C-alpha cells in the first residue's frame, strides 16, 4: 500500500462481543464499516475488537479518543440481555445520563407484538419489560429507528460516538440513516473527497505488478498522489487506487501502463468481478458442469451468482471412473489410456455434460487435490480443465499450489476465467 499523508477526518471502529473476540463468530462489521468510511474519504485509524465487559469497551473508547479521532463507530451490545451494555458504557464515557425514551419503548413493544403474534404461553408483559432497556438512551442523544428491535444511538461531541447493532443485516440497513444525521456529518466534515478505482488481474505474480508500480513511480508525474492497495487472492490481483480529483491524470497514465505491461492478465478496468462478467456473458445460453476434484464448488458458485442461476442447468460430480462412464458417457478405454486426470478425459466430460443436460456451454474439471493421490508425472495439484461455449473450446492442464482446500478454490477460479474467455470468443 502506498500511503499519502494528508489532513482528513479520522474514525475508529470498536467491534464488541465476546463471541467475536473468541472467534466463534467472524467479524463482518469491522471490514464493512471500514469500506464505507474509506469510500467517504474518512481516514480509518483503528479497528478494535473487545468482549462485552464494560471496562474493556470503555478502554477502547478512551484509546480512540486519545488518538484524536473525530468519529467512533461501535457495533454490538444493544440487545436486551444483561451482557448488552454498550449504550450504558458509551453514555458514561460521554458524561451523559441514561433516560427512558418512552416513544421508542412503545415502538419496540409494537415490533415485539408483531414478532410474537398470538404465540400461546408467552407472557408479553414480561418480554416487553426485558426489552425495555433497549429504549434507554443517553440524554441528548439522537436515536436511530431499529431494523430489528435495537435502535441505534448517536452522541455528538468530540469525538462523536455512533452506536450500531451487531447483526450485520441491521447495522448495514441503519448506516444510511446514521450517515444522514447532522452529528455524523459534522464529525466527518473534514473528510477528503476521493475517487476510487478498482482494476482486476488474473495470472500475474504479485512481484510482476510490484515491478510495474516501481516503474510507474519513476515515470508518471504525480504518482505519489495515488494511494494504491493490492490484494492477491486465489491467483487474482485486486488493485484499488484512491486519489483526489487532481490525481486523475496520474491514474490515467497508470492504467495505460498496466494495459501495456499486463494486457493478457488485465481482465477488469471497472472493478467488475469475473463472476459478474460471466453472468453477463451467459445471457441467452445454457450452462452445465462436470467436476471431480472440486466436488461441486464450481456448480455452487455459478448457482450463487446473481443472474447466473437463470442459465445454469445443473452439474455432475463424478469422482469414480464408473461415475464418469455412467453419467457422462466417458469411454473407459480413454480413462485407461490417459488416466482420469487428463485433457482427453476432461474434454469427454465436457461433451457428456453438454449432452446430459442439453446445454450449449459446459465446463469440466478433473484433478488431484490430494493428499496422497499424486504420482511423479501427475503430482497433487495437477488439474485438467475443459470448456466449451458454442464453437469455442479451451483445454488446460495446470499445477496448482496449496492444500486440498486451496487447490479446489483455485481450480474453481481458474475455471471461471477460462469460461469467461470462452464466452468472449477467445480460444486457445
Amino acid at each position: 500500500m502506498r500511503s499519502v499523508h494528508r489532513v482528513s477526518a479520522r474514525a475508529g471502529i470498536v467491534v464488541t462481543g465476546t463471541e467475536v473476540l473468541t472467534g466463534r463468530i467472524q467479524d463482518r462489521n469491522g471490514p464493512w464499516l471500514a469500506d464505507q468510511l474509506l469510500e467517504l474519504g474518512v481516514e480509518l485509524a483503528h479497528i478494535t475488537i473487545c468482549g462485552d465487559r464494560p471496562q474493556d469497551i470503555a478502554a477502547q473508547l478512551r484509546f480512540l479518543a486519545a488518538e484524536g479521532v473525530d468519529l467512533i463507530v461501535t457495533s454490538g451490545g444493544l440487545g436486551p440481555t444483561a451482557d448488552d451494555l454498550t449504550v450504558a458504557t458509551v453514555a458514561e464515557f460521554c458524561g451523559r445520563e441514561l433516560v427512558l425514551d418512552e416513544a421508542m419503548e412503545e415502538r419496540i413493544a409494537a415490533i415485539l407484538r408483531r414478532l410474537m403474534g398470538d404465540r400461546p404461553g408467552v407472557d408479553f408483559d414480561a418480554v416487553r419489560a426485558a426489552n425495555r432497556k433497549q429504549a434507554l438512551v443517553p440524554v441528548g442523544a439522537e436515536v436511530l429507528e431499529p431494523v430489528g428491535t435495537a435502535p441505534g444511538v448517536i452522541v455528538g461531541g468530540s469525538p462523536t460516538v455512533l452506536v450500531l447493532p451487531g447483526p450485520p443485516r441491521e447495522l448495514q440497513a441503519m448506516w444510511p440513516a446514521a450517515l444522514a444525521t447532522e452529528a455524523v456529518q459534522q464529525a466527518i466534515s473534514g473528510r477528503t473527497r476521493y475517487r476510487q478505482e478498482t482494476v482486476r488481474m488474473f495470472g500475474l505474480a504479485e512481484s510482476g505488478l510490484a515491478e510495474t508500480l516501481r516503474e510507474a513511480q519513476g515515470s508518471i508525474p504525480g504518482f505519489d498522489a495515488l494511494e494504491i492497495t493490492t490484494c492477491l487472492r486465489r491467483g487474482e490481483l485486486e488493485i484499488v487506487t484512491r486519489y483526489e480529483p487532481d490525481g486523475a491524470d496520474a491514474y490515467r497514465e497508470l492504467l495505460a501502463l498496466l494495459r501495456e505491461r499486463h494486457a493478457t492478465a488485465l481482465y477488469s478496468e471497472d472493478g467488475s468481478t469475473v463472476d459478474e462478467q460471466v453472468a453477463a456473458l451467459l445471457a441467452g445460453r445454457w450452462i452445465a458442469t462436470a467436476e471431480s476434484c472440486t466436488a461441486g464448488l464450481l456448480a455452487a458458485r455459478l448457482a450463487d451468482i446473481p443472474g447466473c442461476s437463470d442459465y445454469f442447468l445443473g452439474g455432475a460430480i463424478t469422482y469414480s471412473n464408473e461415475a464418469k462412464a455412467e453419467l457422462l458417457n466417458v469411454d473407459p478405454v480413454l480413462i485407461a489410456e490417459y488416466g482420469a486426470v487428463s485433457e482427453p478425459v476432461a474434454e469427454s466430460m465436457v461433451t457428456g455434460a453438454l449432452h446430459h443436460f442439453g446445454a450449449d456451454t459446459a465446463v469440466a474439471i478433473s484433478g488431484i487435490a490430494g493428499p496422497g493421490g499424486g504420482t511423479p508425472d501427475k503430482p497433487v495439484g495437477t488439474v485438467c480443465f475443459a470448456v466449451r461455449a458454442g464453437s469455442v473450446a479451451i483445454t488446460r492442464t495446470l499445477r496448482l499450489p496449496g492444500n486440498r482446500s486451496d487447490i479446489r478454490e483455485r481450480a474453481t477460479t481458474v475455471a471461471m476465467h477460462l469460461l469467461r474467455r470462452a464466452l468472449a470468443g477467445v480460444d486457445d
Side-chain angles (χ1 to χ4, degrees):
M1 179 174 179
R2 190 173 307 282
S3 297
V4 180
H5 299 287
R6 50 171 68 89
V7 177
S8 179
R10 300 176 76 233
I13 298 169
V14 181
V15 178
T16 71
T18 302
E19 68 282 1
V20 181
L21 182 66
T22 58
R24 294 199 307 275
I25 292 180
Q26 183 180 5
D27 173 33
R28 292 168 52 196
N29 291 333
W32 189 87
L33 288 167
D35 244 12
Q36 304 306 306
L37 291 166
L38 288 171
E39 284 188 14
L40 289 169
V42 177
E43 181 183 325
L44 181 61
H46 299 277
I47 299 178
T48 69
I49 300 176
C50 67
D52 294 306
R53 293 174 293 274
Q55 63 270 28
D56 294 334
I57 299 173
Q60 305 308 309
L61 296 172
R62 290 194 300 270
F63 164 71
L64 290 173
E67 289 290 294
V69 302
D70 304 287
L71 174 68
I72 299 174
V73 184
T74 75
S75 75
L78 305 190
T81 58
D83 62 340
D84 290 314
L85 298 168
T86 302
V87 173
T89 306
V90 167
E92 184 176 351
F93 169 75
C94 295
R96 310 283 184 99
E97 292 185 12
L98 278 178
V99 295
L100 180 69
D101 184 326
E102 295 183 357
M104 179 55 64
E105 198 270 340
E106 285 295 335
R107 286 199 286 279
I108 292 171
I111 293 169
L112 291 169
R113 285 193 192 94
R114 195 165 61 247
L115 291 174
M116 293 172 60
D118 298 324
R119 199 175 302 168
V122 177
D123 185 343
F124 176 77
D125 291 334
V127 174
R128 176 171 179 166
N131 281 267
R132 186 168 287 123
K133 75 183 286 284
Q134 292 181 295
L136 292 171
V137 299
V139 170
E142 187 164 355
V143 181
L144 298 170
E145 285 291 322
V147 175
T149 61
V153 173
I154 304 170
V155 184
S158 184
T160 291
V161 183
L162 167 58
V163 182
L164 296 173
R169 179 186 66 84
E170 297 180 24
L171 177 145
Q172 293 175 20
M174 204 175 283
W175 178 253
L179 196 60
T181 63
E182 184 178 348
V184 172
Q185 285 296 311
Q186 179 66 29
I188 64 174
S189 60
R191 70 189 186 273
T192 301
R193 304 288 179 170
Y194 286 110
R195 295 179 182 175
Q196 180 168 302
E197 306 288 350
T198 300
V199 167
R200 300 183 190 277
M201 297 185 181
F202 178 72
L204 175 68
E206 202 166 12
S207 58
L209 175 63
E211 184 178 345
T212 301
L213 292 179
R214 283 193 294 271
E215 180 183 338
Q217 186 175 18
S219 63
I220 295 177
F223 180 79
D224 286 341
L226 306 178
E227 184 177 339
I228 302 170
T229 304
T230 62
C231 180
L232 176 64
R233 279 193 299 264
R234 294 177 298 187
E236 290 187 320
L237 271 172
E238 179 186 80
I239 304 105
V240 178
T241 306
R242 298 173 68 235
Y243 56 91
E244 294 183 57
D246 58 7
D249 288 343
Y251 179 73
R252 278 193 291 271
E253 288 196 42
L254 171 63
L255 186 57
L257 182 63
L258 293 175
R259 288 191 195 115
E260 178 187 341
R261 293 286 186 273
H262 309 296
T264 58
L266 179 59
Y267 75 89
S268 173
E269 295 185 8
D270 60 2
S272 60
T273 65
V274 65
D275 290 9
E276 291 166 340
Q277 292 184 11
V278 164
L281 290 167
L282 271 175
R285 292 179 174 270
W286 299 106
I287 185 169
T289 60
E291 304 175 64
S292 62
C293 65
T294 45
L297 288 178
L298 178 61
R301 183 165 173 172
L302 288 168
D304 285 343
I305 300 170
C308 265
S309 57
D310 295 336
Y311 314 112
F312 179 53
L313 295 173
I317 302 173
T318 56
Y319 272 112
S320 71
N321 294 341
E322 292 77 14
K324 290 179 176 65
E326 183 175 346
L327 296 177
L328 298 173
N329 296 321
V330 177
D331 189 343
V333 174
L334 199 65
I335 298 174
E337 183 176 357
Y338 295 101
V341 179
S342 63
E343 292 187 1
V345 168
E347 290 169 349
S348 184
M349 289 169 64
V350 154
T351 301
L354 289 169
H355 291 311
H356 184 83
F357 291 98
D360 54 51
T361 304
V363 183
I365 308 173
S366 182
I368 306 168
T375 66
D377 291 337
K378 297 178 182 178
V380 171
T382 302
V383 184
C384 298
F385 303 87
V387 181
R388 192 91 55 81
S391 61
V392 178
I394 299 176
T395 305
R396 289 280 193 282
T397 299
L398 299 176
R399 291 184 180 177
L400 305 178
N403 58 28
R404 182 192 294 271
S405 177
D406 293 333
I407 292 167
R408 285 175 167 176
E409 287 191 0
R410 289 174 186 272
T412 305
T413 299
V414 170
M416 290 296 293
H417 280 278
L418 294 177
L419 175 59
R420 177 186 63 82
R421 286 174 59 85
L423 290 169
V426 180
D427 57 20
D428 286 335

